Amino acid sequence: MKPTRIIIDTDPGVDDALAFLFALSSSKISLEALTTTQGNVTVDKATRNALAILELAGAGHIPVARGNMLPLVQPLRASALVHGESGVGNANLPEPKNRPVGLHAVDFLIEKILAEPGQISIFPIGPLTNIAMAIRKEPRFASAVKELVIMGGAIREGGNMSPLAEFNIYVDPHAAHIVFHSGIPITLIPLDVTHQCILKQEHIDRLLKIKSPVSKFISDAMHDYMAFSLEIGQAGCVLHDPLTLAALLAPELLTLREYYVDVDISGGVSMGNTFADFSNVSKKPVNMKVAVDVRGDDFVELFLTHMETLGRSIQDRTK
Ligand code: RIB
Ligand code: CA
């Protein structure tokens, strides 16, 4: 079976990095490019991290396109709180050898998608600024995207950036509004399910048994994220971004429901809140599939076995 061709739009970000490694660990996925945006860190740091993580994984041939440095309307919210100043915790990634492509991420996305309509899926795992701008700049873009699998939002779950809003949506709610109403087929992976997928210290210790640059990177990158997570009462690090790939690698682990979902851009206390019309009272057509449940422990085990395989393959390469 031919691999699914994807582009990841990203704000790396520790869990973003794990999503790249997860995609690279599977022959079912062809990771065609990374496009970067502001979010966890500024877009310059995000771009550097994207290039460096691909090179760490022996995938320096995959192009990276630098994207937007600011949300469409909201001020910049990048904060070092969770992912550290570098965006990859305590990981000490060498300066990347490669440079980003010359095209802006929005133009890169438009060029790649229009060249092969219906062939490439996009996995946005940061704020949706690049995707929204591509939709607005090129009227043919929306109908040419195969699908979007978005890490973002909180439907029945509370927010993680405000009591009502999840980070990726909160940073650029206006972009999310454009994307949610674009007509592109969307699968949403919200906090409702990512909060059930927890990487614990014992899991990291298991990966460290494999002497590999991948295991060391994961351990170093997760150090601050783990401390922050434990401090706020979580049992470990939430695998937000890697879970999007379950839509391709293990869809049986997800329970999906079709809803009309919208996002609050009215500017009040619920700015960035994502809500589903469970009873179809608005009579508006369904605009996405929402992951409402997940077999979280099974997903974590799947992620770990893929990281072990990737770690061994890179270990062999560096021997
Ligand atoms: O709310 C979780 C999301 O915000 C993840 O994508 C994480 O990387 C941050 O961007
Ligand atoms: Ca992210």
PDB file of all heavy atoms in Angstrom, residues 9-17 39-40 83 124-127 151 166-168 240-241, ligand 2:
ATOM      1  N   ASP A   9       2.398  21.123   9.586  1.00  0.00           N
ATOM      2  CA  ASP A   9       2.543  22.568   9.864  1.00  0.00           C
ATOM      3  C   ASP A   9       2.702  22.716  11.369  1.00  0.00           C
ATOM      4  O   ASP A   9       1.849  22.227  12.123  1.00  0.00           O
ATOM      5  CB  ASP A   9       1.287  23.322   9.367  1.00  0.00           C
ATOM      6  CG  ASP A   9       1.455  24.838   9.435  1.00  0.00           C
ATOM      7  OD1 ASP A   9       2.281  25.373   8.677  1.00  0.00           O
ATOM      8  OD2 ASP A   9       0.758  25.468  10.257  1.00  0.00           O
ATOM      9  N   THR A  10       3.764  23.370  11.819  1.00  0.00           N
ATOM     10  CA  THR A  10       4.220  23.101  13.178  1.00  0.00           C
ATOM     11  C   THR A  10       4.887  24.287  13.867  1.00  0.00           C
ATOM     12  O   THR A  10       5.436  25.176  13.212  1.00  0.00           O
ATOM     13  CB  THR A  10       5.197  21.907  13.145  1.00  0.00           C
ATOM     14  OG1 THR A  10       5.734  21.658  14.429  1.00  0.00           O
ATOM     15  CG2 THR A  10       6.345  22.164  12.175  1.00  0.00           C
ATOM     16  N   ASP A  11       4.861  24.246  15.221  1.00  0.00           N
ATOM     17  CA  ASP A  11       5.527  25.278  16.036  1.00  0.00           C
ATOM     18  C   ASP A  11       6.465  24.608  17.053  1.00  0.00           C
ATOM     19  O   ASP A  11       6.318  24.753  18.260  1.00  0.00           O
ATOM     20  CB  ASP A  11       4.478  26.137  16.760  1.00  0.00           C
ATOM     21  CG  ASP A  11       3.612  25.324  17.732  1.00  0.00           C
ATOM     22  OD1 ASP A  11       3.441  24.104  17.534  1.00  0.00           O
ATOM     23  OD2 ASP A  11       3.115  25.921  18.720  1.00  0.00           O
ATOM     24  N   PRO A  12       7.456  23.834  16.566  1.00  0.00           N
ATOM     25  CA  PRO A  12       8.263  22.981  17.453  1.00  0.00           C
ATOM     26  C   PRO A  12       9.078  23.782  18.490  1.00  0.00           C
ATOM     27  O   PRO A  12       9.934  24.575  18.143  1.00  0.00           O
ATOM     28  CB  PRO A  12       9.210  22.262  16.492  1.00  0.00           C
ATOM     29  CG  PRO A  12       9.284  23.114  15.280  1.00  0.00           C
ATOM     30  CD  PRO A  12       7.983  23.841  15.185  1.00  0.00           C
ATOM     31  N   GLY A  13       8.793  23.361  19.659  1.00  0.00           N
ATOM     32  CA  GLY A  13       7.797  22.594  20.406  1.00  0.00           C
ATOM     33  C   GLY A  13       8.228  21.122  20.543  1.00  0.00           C
ATOM     34  O   GLY A  13       8.517  20.441  19.568  1.00  0.00           O
ATOM     35  N   VAL A  14       8.228  20.735  21.850  1.00  0.00           N
ATOM     36  CA  VAL A  14       8.700  19.396  22.199  1.00  0.00           C
ATOM     37  C   VAL A  14       7.795  18.316  21.640  1.00  0.00           C
ATOM     38  O   VAL A  14       8.240  17.365  21.000  1.00  0.00           O
ATOM     39  CB  VAL A  14       8.811  19.266  23.736  1.00  0.00           C
ATOM     40  CG1 VAL A  14       9.138  17.837  24.125  1.00  0.00           C
ATOM     41  CG2 VAL A  14       9.849  20.224  24.288  1.00  0.00           C
ATOM     42  N   ASP A  15       6.465  18.462  21.845  1.00  0.00           N
ATOM     43  CA  ASP A  15       5.582  17.390  21.354  1.00  0.00           C
ATOM     44  C   ASP A  15       5.469  17.406  19.841  1.00  0.00           C
ATOM     45  O   ASP A  15       5.221  16.367  19.211  1.00  0.00           O
ATOM     46  CB  ASP A  15       4.212  17.442  22.035  1.00  0.00           C
ATOM     47  CG  ASP A  15       3.491  18.744  21.816  1.00  0.00           C
ATOM     48  OD1 ASP A  15       4.129  19.803  21.827  1.00  0.00           O
ATOM     49  OD2 ASP A  15       2.255  18.714  21.625  1.00  0.00           O
ATOM     50  N   ASP A  16       5.697  18.594  19.242  1.00  0.00           N
ATOM     51  CA  ASP A  16       5.789  18.663  17.776  1.00  0.00           C
ATOM     52  C   ASP A  16       6.939  17.768  17.294  1.00  0.00           C
ATOM     53  O   ASP A  16       6.792  16.994  16.352  1.00  0.00           O
ATOM     54  CB  ASP A  16       6.065  20.091  17.309  1.00  0.00           C
ATOM     55  CG  ASP A  16       5.011  21.080  17.752  1.00  0.00           C
ATOM     56  OD1 ASP A  16       4.900  21.343  18.961  1.00  0.00           O
ATOM     57  OD2 ASP A  16       4.268  21.592  16.886  1.00  0.00           O
ATOM     58  N   ALA A  17       8.085  17.873  17.971  1.00  0.00           N
ATOM     59  CA  ALA A  17       9.269  17.088  17.591  1.00  0.00           C
ATOM     60  C   ALA A  17       8.957  15.593  17.658  1.00  0.00           C
ATOM     61  O   ALA A  17       9.341  14.817  16.777  1.00  0.00           O
ATOM     62  CB  ALA A  17      10.440  17.424  18.516  1.00  0.00           C
ATOM     63  N   GLY A  39       4.209  30.089  17.766  1.00  0.00           N
ATOM     64  CA  GLY A  39       3.290  29.398  18.698  1.00  0.00           C
ATOM     65  C   GLY A  39       4.028  29.110  19.989  1.00  0.00           C
ATOM     66  O   GLY A  39       4.236  29.997  20.821  1.00  0.00           O
ATOM     67  N   ASN A  40       4.535  27.883  20.106  1.00  0.00           N
ATOM     68  CA  ASN A  40       5.328  27.532  21.300  1.00  0.00           C
ATOM     69  C   ASN A  40       6.555  28.438  21.412  1.00  0.00           C
ATOM     70  O   ASN A  40       7.009  28.767  22.502  1.00  0.00           O
ATOM     71  CB  ASN A  40       5.813  26.079  21.205  1.00  0.00           C
ATOM     72  CG  ASN A  40       4.704  25.091  21.404  1.00  0.00           C
ATOM     73  OD1 ASN A  40       3.821  25.302  22.231  1.00  0.00           O
ATOM     74  ND2 ASN A  40       4.706  24.031  20.615  1.00  0.00           N
ATOM     75  N   HIS A  83       7.963  24.734  26.791  1.00  0.00           N
ATOM     76  CA  HIS A  83       8.927  24.108  25.881  1.00  0.00           C
ATOM     77  C   HIS A  83      10.331  24.676  26.035  1.00  0.00           C
ATOM     78  O   HIS A  83      11.229  24.283  25.300  1.00  0.00           O
ATOM     79  CB  HIS A  83       8.435  24.256  24.444  1.00  0.00           C
ATOM     80  CG  HIS A  83       7.081  23.624  24.245  1.00  0.00           C
ATOM     81  ND1 HIS A  83       6.899  22.376  23.691  1.00  0.00           N
ATOM     82  CD2 HIS A  83       5.830  24.060  24.551  1.00  0.00           C
ATOM     83  CE1 HIS A  83       5.607  22.071  23.676  1.00  0.00           C
ATOM     84  NE2 HIS A  83       4.935  23.073  24.191  1.00  0.00           N
ATOM     85  N   PRO A 124      -1.812  20.172  10.733  1.00  0.00           N
ATOM     86  CA  PRO A 124      -1.454  21.378  11.503  1.00  0.00           C
ATOM     87  C   PRO A 124      -1.396  21.026  12.984  1.00  0.00           C
ATOM     88  O   PRO A 124      -2.405  20.585  13.560  1.00  0.00           O
ATOM     89  CB  PRO A 124      -2.577  22.361  11.188  1.00  0.00           C
ATOM     90  CG  PRO A 124      -3.340  21.767  10.037  1.00  0.00           C
ATOM     91  CD  PRO A 124      -3.166  20.284  10.180  1.00  0.00           C
ATOM     92  N   ILE A 125      -0.213  21.228  13.607  1.00  0.00           N
ATOM     93  CA  ILE A 125      -0.086  20.901  15.035  1.00  0.00           C
ATOM     94  C   ILE A 125       0.388  22.122  15.835  1.00  0.00           C
ATOM     95  O   ILE A 125       0.964  22.003  16.913  1.00  0.00           O
ATOM     96  CB  ILE A 125       0.850  19.697  15.250  1.00  0.00           C
ATOM     97  CG1 ILE A 125       2.237  19.938  14.649  1.00  0.00           C
ATOM     98  CG2 ILE A 125       0.229  18.439  14.661  1.00  0.00           C
ATOM     99  CD1 ILE A 125       3.234  18.809  14.953  1.00  0.00           C
ATOM    100  N   GLY A 126       0.130  23.280  15.277  1.00  0.00           N
ATOM    101  CA  GLY A 126       0.391  24.566  15.934  1.00  0.00           C
ATOM    102  C   GLY A 126      -0.752  25.507  15.566  1.00  0.00           C
ATOM    103  O   GLY A 126      -1.767  25.073  15.015  1.00  0.00           O
ATOM    104  N   PRO A 127      -0.620  26.789  15.878  1.00  0.00           N
ATOM    105  CA  PRO A 127      -1.649  27.745  15.454  1.00  0.00           C
ATOM    106  C   PRO A 127      -1.854  27.686  13.939  1.00  0.00           C
ATOM    107  O   PRO A 127      -0.938  27.381  13.202  1.00  0.00           O
ATOM    108  CB  PRO A 127      -1.046  29.091  15.901  1.00  0.00           C
ATOM    109  CG  PRO A 127      -0.171  28.732  17.065  1.00  0.00           C
ATOM    110  CD  PRO A 127       0.425  27.390  16.724  1.00  0.00           C
ATOM    111  N   MET A 151      -4.338  19.126  15.369  1.00  0.00           N
ATOM    112  CA  MET A 151      -4.261  19.055  16.837  1.00  0.00           C
ATOM    113  C   MET A 151      -4.714  20.417  17.331  1.00  0.00           C
ATOM    114  O   MET A 151      -4.040  21.422  17.084  1.00  0.00           O
ATOM    115  CB  MET A 151      -2.850  18.774  17.350  1.00  0.00           C
ATOM    116  CG  MET A 151      -2.846  18.421  18.849  1.00  0.00           C
ATOM    117  SD  MET A 151      -2.991  19.907  19.929  1.00  0.00           S
ATOM    118  CE  MET A 151      -4.352  19.384  21.003  1.00  0.00           C
ATOM    119  N   GLU A 166      -8.019  26.041  24.019  1.00  0.00           N
ATOM    120  CA  GLU A 166      -6.769  25.268  23.873  1.00  0.00           C
ATOM    121  C   GLU A 166      -5.734  26.164  23.191  1.00  0.00           C
ATOM    122  O   GLU A 166      -6.068  27.024  22.380  1.00  0.00           O
ATOM    123  CB  GLU A 166      -7.084  24.016  23.021  1.00  0.00           C
ATOM    124  CG  GLU A 166      -5.894  23.150  22.698  1.00  0.00           C
ATOM    125  CD  GLU A 166      -5.101  23.649  21.495  1.00  0.00           C
ATOM    126  OE1 GLU A 166      -5.712  24.246  20.590  1.00  0.00           O
ATOM    127  OE2 GLU A 166      -3.881  23.472  21.477  1.00  0.00           O
ATOM    128  N   PHE A 167      -4.442  25.918  23.447  1.00  0.00           N
ATOM    129  CA  PHE A 167      -3.358  26.818  23.027  1.00  0.00           C
ATOM    130  C   PHE A 167      -3.358  27.129  21.531  1.00  0.00           C
ATOM    131  O   PHE A 167      -3.328  28.295  21.135  1.00  0.00           O
ATOM    132  CB  PHE A 167      -2.010  26.194  23.430  1.00  0.00           C
ATOM    133  CG  PHE A 167      -0.825  27.011  23.015  1.00  0.00           C
ATOM    134  CD1 PHE A 167      -0.378  28.070  23.793  1.00  0.00           C
ATOM    135  CD2 PHE A 167      -0.156  26.731  21.831  1.00  0.00           C
ATOM    136  CE1 PHE A 167       0.718  28.835  23.404  1.00  0.00           C
ATOM    137  CE2 PHE A 167       0.942  27.491  21.428  1.00  0.00           C
ATOM    138  CZ  PHE A 167       1.385  28.550  22.213  1.00  0.00           C
ATOM    139  N   ASN A 168      -3.343  26.126  20.662  1.00  0.00           N
ATOM    140  CA  ASN A 168      -3.193  26.366  19.217  1.00  0.00           C
ATOM    141  C   ASN A 168      -4.309  27.264  18.682  1.00  0.00           C
ATOM    142  O   ASN A 168      -4.082  28.108  17.816  1.00  0.00           O
ATOM    143  CB  ASN A 168      -3.166  25.054  18.435  1.00  0.00           C
ATOM    144  CG  ASN A 168      -1.876  24.295  18.635  1.00  0.00           C
ATOM    145  OD1 ASN A 168      -0.861  24.872  19.023  1.00  0.00           O
ATOM    146  ND2 ASN A 168      -1.916  22.987  18.417  1.00  0.00           N
ATOM    147  N   HIS A 240       0.182  15.484  22.826  1.00  0.00           N
ATOM    148  CA  HIS A 240      -0.792  16.197  21.992  1.00  0.00           C
ATOM    149  C   HIS A 240      -0.537  15.944  20.499  1.00  0.00           C
ATOM    150  O   HIS A 240      -1.355  15.367  19.792  1.00  0.00           O
ATOM    151  CB  HIS A 240      -0.693  17.715  22.221  1.00  0.00           C
ATOM    152  CG  HIS A 240      -1.011  18.177  23.604  1.00  0.00           C
ATOM    153  ND1 HIS A 240      -2.279  18.149  24.141  1.00  0.00           N
ATOM    154  CD2 HIS A 240      -0.214  18.720  24.555  1.00  0.00           C
ATOM    155  CE1 HIS A 240      -2.253  18.670  25.362  1.00  0.00           C
ATOM    156  NE2 HIS A 240      -1.016  19.024  25.637  1.00  0.00           N
ATOM    157  N   ASP A 241       0.594  16.419  20.003  1.00  0.00           N
ATOM    158  CA  ASP A 241       0.831  16.413  18.555  1.00  0.00           C
ATOM    159  C   ASP A 241       1.021  15.014  17.970  1.00  0.00           C
ATOM    160  O   ASP A 241       0.469  14.710  16.894  1.00  0.00           O
ATOM    161  CB  ASP A 241       2.036  17.309  18.235  1.00  0.00           C
ATOM    162  CG  ASP A 241       1.727  18.780  18.537  1.00  0.00           C
ATOM    163  OD1 ASP A 241       0.526  19.142  18.561  1.00  0.00           O
ATOM    164  OD2 ASP A 241       2.667  19.552  18.755  1.00  0.00           O
TER     165      ASP A 241
HETATM  166 CA    CA B   2       2.476  22.133  18.541  1.00  0.00          CA
END
